[in-house]
Amino acid sequence: MVKDLLKGKNGIIFGALNDKSIAWKVAERAHEQRAGFVLSNTPVSIRMGTIDQLADKTGSTVIAADATSTDDLNNLFEQTMEIFGGKIDFILHSIGMSPNVRKGIPYTDINYPNFSKTLDISALSFHKIMQTSYHMDALKEWGSIVALSYVAAQKTLSGYNDMGDAKALLESIGRSFGYVYGRDKKVRVNTVSQSPTPTTAGSGVKGIDTLLDFSERMSPLGNATAEEAADFIVLLFSDLTRKVTMQNLYHDGGFSSMGMSNRAIEQYSKSFD
Amino acid sequence: MVKDLLKGKNGIIFGALNDKSIAWKVAERAHEQRAGFVLSNTPVSIRMGTIDQLADKTGSTVIAADATSTDDLNNLFEQTMEIFGGKIDFILHSIGMSPNVRKGIPYTDINYPNFSKTLDISALSFHKIMQTSYHMDALKEWGSIVALSYVAAQKTLSGYNDMGDAKALLESIGRSFGYVYGRDKKVRVNTVSQSPTPTTAGSGVKGIDTLLDFSERMSPLGNATAEEAADFIVLLFSDLTRKVTMQNLYHDGGFSSMGMSNRAIEQYSKSFD
Amino acid sequence: MVKDLLKGKNGIIFGALNDKSIAWKVAERAHEQRAGFVLSNTPVSIRMGTIDQLADKTGSTVIAADATSTDDLNNLFEQTMEIFGGKIDFILHSIGMSPNVRKGIPYTDINYPNFSKTLDISALSFHKIMQTSYHMDALKEWGSIVALSYVAAQKTLSGYNDMGDAKALLESIGRSFGYVYGRDKKVRVNTVSQSPTPTTAGSGVKGIDTLLDFSERMSPLGNATAEEAADFIVLLFSDLTRKVTMQNLYHDGGFSSMGMSNRAIEQYSKSFD
Amino acid sequence: MVKDLLKGKNGIIFGALNDKSIAWKVAERAHEQRAGFVLSNTPVSIRMGTIDQLADKTGSTVIAADATSTDDLNNLFEQTMEIFGGKIDFILHSIGMSPNVRKGIPYTDINYPNFSKTLDISALSFHKIMQTSYHMDALKEWGSIVALSYVAAQKTLSGYNDMGDAKALLESIGRSFGYVYGRDKKVRVNTVSQSPTPTTAGSGVKGIDTLLDFSERMSPLGNATAEEAADFIVLLFSDLTRKVTMQNLYHDGGFSSMGMSNRAIEQYSKSFD
């Protein structure tokens, strides 16, 4: 097995709640590949989850921050740069939440303060993180920033509600900031569009089990797991992907390029028996 | 010349400021094709522009409404349905504004209340209009809703700032609401991605003249004008496009499918002389 | 109902076999809208189908031509220009055939002479038609060319075989020729990506009924019919779409923008009962 | 620097002509990462180029094969499996040639036997390679196949001629075969859309220097080099990208997501001085 992919690199990983989180798996893989990192999440998520176990296991520090607060972010980057004695190399944004989804409010009855909250938490936070790091000059040249997305940004999924819109906005912010961050500081910015993953966050979506089954049968290689996503994201932090930027990269076993698979249509046809 | 494309149809046209506005041209064409409509804009835009002339010319009523206010929208739809004695057939959303662009604040210094305002005015207003009309059951079956967009939703343009993100969100809202509105009420929702157009709104973008020239030379048929956009939008309101929905339709002389044209590269090569 | 959309316009319609064909419906609608046209198909298809009835009904002439033969195409354009006393305004390409699909040869056992035949008939014929008309200067300024495509060009559908590749090539040829035809002669070129349609050609695909059902439930407005496709295509021939070029336009009830609908997932979930 | 990314893996690399070739760089990087491989090219290219030097340097065998000949491919795979004592892990397809481009024949004067040759060499060869390996069961589970592409598959570039169409077909074949190869053998198939690269093949395109300059200024990270492409492709052969399939991955410094950059528009504006 490869080692040292991230040797000498340091970063910040946002969004590890518990051992089902993709961010958790990224932290484990990054640690295996010799990266150092700070783990960050909101105070509430830190209390509700088990991030301290991850910090222990990976020898990393947890710093609480609400990624919608530029004050918190300033503080987080300052502390992080202190810990690592200077600029860092990578950032993972794995943050998303919709009060409308949580409360089961349909897309046609949307509560607009909720909608704004969805966008602020799930998309604007990505801009805030980048703007903060840009102004503090917190990333080295050829640094790498990744946010997690989902195919709902391109294709409407019943029940995914305003999170589809938030992911579309997230991906656009990745492109827009990717342009200026690349031009000015040689930092790259990408989003990874991952298979539906049975994390704590994902489990809030209604009918998720049937959707996971459909997605599994549609994807020639099956759904990508959180561990596999972590493998891929670690590569995006490495020096071997320096010229990939402003992209939305599908990590989904092929789902995004399928119109209809044999396995899915055969299952579907059973519904008429 | 064709007549009667919209005979018997009524609608609401948002966003006509003056005779350079695309919404103004749509109103003129819709009138020629025998549609009835209400013109709506914010009180400020009504004062600053010349919408009353358009109302006179087309025999239509002006109703002030801030499209970010659901109260205003409720009132607007109520009055409109009273004027036309029932449900309407089409809506045009031609609304967009970024305080960050107006004030020349770069994308890396964004003011977040401004960003939220950009999104609220330019994108969430589209959801609010549709949610209001959905709940009031204001549109007939096979009604048609169109919003104006720009290629900045897919490709980053220096200087277009947070409006690129707003257009990405707008298009996503079009898809998301298009799904439920189609499923529940047979109403279609599309966005039209128009060539850069020298309207009052467009003229705020820095270096717009050079961009217009580049776009003109890249597009095999040249930039599409506001009048041509109006022709196309009227078709989307007609009964001949009933099964087109959840689409972003490029009306741009071919620009969106070009990598490099002869005319643009020849002009570009002169820059080295 | 609108009339005169194509008044004074003449064209060529390729691919009407019988009254299930999309090209047949386009001919009927174009006739209603006062267009004149020549109907063309291969000698075999003319014998097997009922195109003469269509010619009678619409007062048009049938001219046999194999669209893969530039000699036949030269002859066809010459005769057509003689009939109409000069240049024409529109062309419909509704031609596609895969010997591999017909003979049930799987994509992993493809016969390469067959593959080349699929590409030649279904895609290169489009280039040949345009190159012939370009050199004979057979189209007026602002003329319009349309070819029928399918979402298999972007998304793989089990069983659609090498026709998916042929459609991808067809759409690319539309863009490539659209650039030069637009630049040099102001002629526009587009493809229409239509819902699966139970035509004679479409019925060769295995499991087409289940696919049609899935597509129907996924599309918020249901599958688009051949008649509705004809309405839309007639608009693309009219003067109201002059600046739309090099596009692939989805006419599919919303299918192409759906990830998962309520109706489809509910049906799918029944398969586990 | 990372080592051992491809330790224990063997493959075939098609298309190394000389030390400017992307395939050449891939061979060097794959060798550094401990892969074994066979180098293959046509007899003519072997004579004209310097592939033997590369074979010496990397301890690999050169086997001549015309990738449009299934007989040659059968022989190549047989010999390769003999050399490595069994199944292999990866394949690189870096093959493309257009007689129309070579001879300066414009897209509107295309010679159809030439066009078929372009498609056969540049796209159908990819299917032939995969069909041959599929039937010989030459790839291990979780094997990886990559072909090189270019953005001309999506966007028309003046002068790129029928190679744009060939790349569109190549990418479609990647998706179509990617579905069945993934489903049946857990092998993944992707295309890499690389910046314009001053290779021997690329240098045939007219006005390539100006295009390279424009592309450089448009891309926030500049054009990706052949060496950087090799880094990226090696990752796609590694075990860390197992669930990425049926994708077209842009490796282009951000070009594909740009509408207009500061640097490019400033240069362009100088053309008016």
Side-chain angles (χ1 to χ4, degrees), chain C residues 41-114:
Chain C
N41 215 332
T42 57
V44 172
S45 297
I46 291 173
R47 274 196 309 278
M48 284 176 49
T50 54
I51 200 172
D52 288 332
Q53 297 174 20
L54 180 63
D56 282 353
K57 200 177 162 179
T58 58
S60 54
T61 309
V62 176
I63 300 176
D66 176 347
T68 66
S69 153
T70 50
D71 285 347
D72 281 20
L73 291 172
N74 263 302
N75 176 53
L76 167 64
F77 275 97
E78 262 173 34
Q79 287 193 50
T80 301
M81 290 173 78
E82 225 173 85
I83 289 172
F84 295 118
K87 298 186 188 186
I88 60 172
D89 304 90
F90 64 87
I91 297 172
L92 176 70
H93 178 283
S94 178
I95 301 171
M97 201 277 286
S98 160
N100 288 310
V101 170
R102 283 220 179 161
K103 295 175 186 171
I105 300 172
Y107 192 69
T108 49
D109 288 290
I110 246 174
N111 170 303
Y112 292 106
N114 279 351

Side-chain angles (χ1 to χ4, degrees), chain C residues 150-188:
Chain C
Y150 182 46
V151 71
Q154 285 78 35
K155 309 280 173 188
T156 302
L157 286 115
S158 170
Y160 206 68
N161 212 308
D162 58 354
M163 274 306 290
D165 301 331
K167 290 302 194 189
L169 181 59
L170 175 84
E171 293 180 10
S172 180
I173 288 173
R175 283 190 298 275
S176 302
F177 219 113
Y179 162 55
V180 285
Y181 225 147
R183 181 193 65 190
D184 298 347
K185 314 257 188 185
K186 296 204 180 305
V187 168
R188 64 196 185 278

Side-chain angles (χ1 to χ4, degrees), chain B residues 155-156 158 213 256 259-260 268, chain D residues 155-156 158 213 256 259-260 268:
Chain B
K155 308 280 171 187
T156 301
S158 171
D213 179 275
S256 52
M260 184 45 75
Y268 186 75
Chain D
K155 309 281 171 186
T156 301
S158 170
D213 179 276
S256 52
M260 184 44 75
Y268 186 75

